[in-house]
Amino acid sequence: MAYAYDDQNIFAKILRGEIPNNTVLETEHTLAFADIRPQAPTHVLVIPKGAYVTYDHFAAEASDAEIVDFTRAVAKVVEMTGVGADAGPGARFISNAGEHGVQEVPHFHLHVLGGRMLGRMLDPAE
Ligand code: 5GP
């Protein structure tokens, strides 16, 4: 099944420079920036520059160069923010996809969250 990418989504506009962002890191294929409504002291969004809707889309169709660049950018963001579980208290990496994942912005993004105790991954009551 083909993934339909909406190039009017807010992250596409950020990538085109049409709306501002608070950049943490930019590489050849990847942009990392602060979430506008942070849910933890560290809340960075890492996105590929390519037009991918979800993590599964990216994992299936991105080039090796894009995947390596993205993955290394995540490591760099963790190092820059000091939330890594090796030297720091740890973090959470979340990527919501589609309706059941309650994805708000249809451009693949990885949330890097840290700086406070984050609780259980899913609320068992939901
Ligand atoms: P999702 O629910 O799709 O996984 O997460 C989308 C995230 O994008 C949310 O955490 C939301 O706060 C963030 N967001 C939405 N619009 C903007 C924006 O214009 N700028 C930034 N920096 N973050 C945004």
Side-chain angles (χ1 to χ4, degrees), residues 25-112:
L25 176 71
E26 181 167 8
T27 66
E28 184 180 0
H29 297 295
T30 308
L31 181 69
F33 53 97
D35 195 292
I36 206 167
R37 294 189 298 271
Q39 296 183 39
T42 293
H43 190 171
V44 177
L45 301 171
V46 188
I47 70 173
K49 292 181 178 176
Y52 302 103
V53 182
T54 58
Y55 186 22
D56 46 296
H57 186 197
F58 180 74
E61 296 188 8
S63 68
D64 290 3
E66 289 175 301
I67 291 170
V68 169
D69 186 278
F70 181 88
T71 305
R72 297 296 191 209
V74 172
K76 185 73 180 165
V77 166
V78 168
E79 182 190 326
M80 291 169 74
T81 55
V83 297
D86 59 341
R92 181 164 296 152
F93 307 93
I94 298 174
S95 188
N96 299 314
E99 183 185 349
H100 280 193
V102 196
Q103 181 179 9
E104 177 189 332
V105 180
H107 181 112
F108 166 46
H109 50 283
L110 187 72
H111 297 257
V112 178

